[in-house]
Amino acid sequence: MAGAGNLDLPGSSNWYVPDLAVVPRDPAKGAGALLPHQTLLIVEITSESNGDTARIVKRRRYAEYRAPLYLLADRQEKCCTLFGEPGEIGYTRIEGPHPFGTPVRLPAPFDLSLDTGRLA
């Protein structure tokens, strides 16, 4: 199931609204707001006004709150970067940046190559 909505960051005053959040069909019931670790993939697409926030702040916070995969589509740099294996100091696996038009491999549970050609 995919969609966009608020992601809660417990213990902080922040809520993030990603461009896309892919979640399991049956996320933790009764848990209230969606938490980053309950997602399968979070996607952010930069704009002139939010580029640094998506590149730096959100990447750090999604890792801290254990979002398993974070895909950054950077329209200013014309590239995609996939971040995985979150930890308290950030993501420990980084694939990219890949220029728009280069397929980006999404690991399990997706096991597919994402066509980024339309982003170019």
Side-chain angles (χ1 to χ4, degrees):
M1 179 180 208
N6 292 342
L7 290 175
D8 188 14
L9 304 177
S12 99
S13 60
N14 294 99
W15 285 80
Y16 288 157
V17 181
D19 292 306
L20 176 72
V22 180
V23 298
R25 286 192 189 277
D26 192 17
K29 293 186 179 197
L34 186 64
L35 304 174
H37 76 270
Q38 295 172 311
T39 66
L40 300 173
L41 170 70
I42 295 174
V43 178
E44 293 283 358
I45 302 167
T46 66
S47 68
E48 291 289 333
S49 65
N50 78 357
D52 286 340
T53 300
R55 286 182 207 103
I56 300 166
V57 178
K58 286 186 173 184
R59 181 182 77 201
R60 185 178 326 131
R61 297 294 277 189
Y62 288 148
E64 178 183 351
Y65 284 90
R66 303 294 197 265
L69 293 171
Y70 175 47
L71 179 65
L72 176 66
D74 192 323
R75 294 191 307 177
Q76 289 67 48
E77 299 295 324
K78 297 180 177 25
C79 64
C80 289
T81 305
L82 181 65
F83 300 90
E85 298 179 15
E88 292 197 18
I89 60 169
Y91 284 101
T92 59
R93 191 182 77 228
I94 301 170
E95 296 179 21
H98 302 287
F100 286 168
T102 303
V104 174
R105 181 82 183 141
L106 297 180
F110 302 99
D111 290 321
L112 60 86
S113 288
L114 183 63
D115 178 6
T116 65
R118 291 185 176 215
L119 298 172

